[in-house]
Amino acid sequence: MSSWNHSGGPAEILLIEDNPGDVRLTREAFKEGQIENTLHVAKDGVEALDFLFKRGEYADAPCPDIILLDLNLPGKNGDEVLEEIRDDPHLSRIPVIVLTSSEAESDIVKSYELRANAYLTKPVNPVEFIETIQSFKSFWLSIVRLPPCDNQ
């Protein structure tokens, strides 16, 4: 199974996640899913925004086709990152999927108020975590048509 983005190439995915174990499991799930993609990782909200706004070492960073965002991040938290993405006319159309351990109704409501495209709770069980990521991939990278990037 292969993925496509607006340019016909592998999907560019930005994972914003500070937990190395979750990053490893996500990479494993993408590898097992055989969906062509390039996974970029930002370990906190500040690094993610530098990547998205092409600042500093990220001057040549690609515009992601989709963003996986943890809420519990050091520095700028996920809500702050999501708010900045949605406030920028060049980034606002990128689908943002919240992928977090929080099951709090207030976090779910706030994420959707900030215009997250989906909210997924990370399972604690590694096998279930991988299954969740693979379900995400099957839908968002195989079925959904992603918008072209407008990050100039």
Side-chain angles (χ1 to χ4, degrees), residues 66-101:
I66 197 160
I67 298 169
L68 287 171
L69 174 65
D70 186 18
L71 291 182
N72 305 310
L73 298 168
K76 285 191 181 265
N77 68 36
D79 290 337
E80 294 169 315
V81 172
L82 182 54
E83 192 165 16
E84 286 199 42
I85 291 168
R86 293 306 186 224
D87 285 345
D88 184 270
H90 298 293
L91 300 175
S92 63
R93 71 171 79 160
I94 299 172
V96 177
I97 311 307
V98 173
L99 180 63
T100 188
S101 57

